[in-house]
Amino acid sequence: MIKFTFLVNKLPHLSDEEFVDYHKNHHAPLFLSIPESELYVRKYVVNHPIVAEGFPKPLYDAVVEISFDSFEDFNSFFTSENYLTKIHPDEPTFFDTANYVAMATNETIVKADA
């Protein structure tokens, strides 16, 4: 399985609360609404930082993790007509699509709760 991690920042006009609400309650359900999500996506996680004493201020407003079985499945998802016409146009409405970090990784679980 290949995990793609995206570190994104909200658009400046959105408050932290507005960004998190939109991401969790509009964009994530929209992302999952297309049949390609069921077909190709193995895991989809959205993470929003919390302020924690003793830790530096987060540099990003969200970390998104999307797992696929292969690069072929990744490409099939992100080039699908449904993604390009329904999901992709929503992205610039809430996060800075010109400035984000993306990384492809092989996930190795060292410890997990059963």
Side-chain angles (χ1 to χ4, degrees):
M1 191 157 49
I2 301 167
K3 183 194 308 188
F4 295 85
T5 303
F6 302 89
L7 291 85
V8 301
N9 280 311
K10 65 181 180 65
L11 293 178
H13 72 276
L14 295 172
S15 69
D16 292 345
E17 295 78 17
E18 290 169 325
F19 172 77
V20 170
D21 180 64
Y22 190 90
H23 196 186
K24 286 173 40 177
N25 298 312
H26 177 78
H27 186 75
L30 180 64
F31 182 96
L32 294 174
S33 74
I34 63 173
E36 290 82 0
S37 288
E38 181 71 28
L39 186 60
Y40 299 115
V41 176
R42 295 296 162 246
K43 188 175 179 183
Y44 177 60
V45 179
V46 294
N47 303 277
H48 299 101
I50 56 174
V51 176
E53 188 175 327
F55 286 86
K57 182 181 183 299
L59 298 176
Y60 295 92
D61 295 308
V63 177
V64 179
E65 302 169 71
I66 310 171
S67 298
F68 298 88
D69 286 333
S70 65
F71 279 102
E72 182 178 87
D73 286 357
F74 169 88
N75 289 326
S76 294
F77 179 84
F78 283 104
T79 60
S80 71
E81 183 176 345
N82 278 325
Y83 171 77
L84 293 173
T85 61
K86 296 177 181 175
I87 311 307
H88 185 62
D90 188 54
E91 293 167 353
T93 66
F94 74 105
F95 79 88
D96 181 357
T97 57
N99 298 297
Y100 66 92
V101 175
M103 182 177 10
T105 63
N106 284 315
E107 180 178 68
T108 301
I109 298 173
V110 178
K111 180 188 182 314
D113 292 337

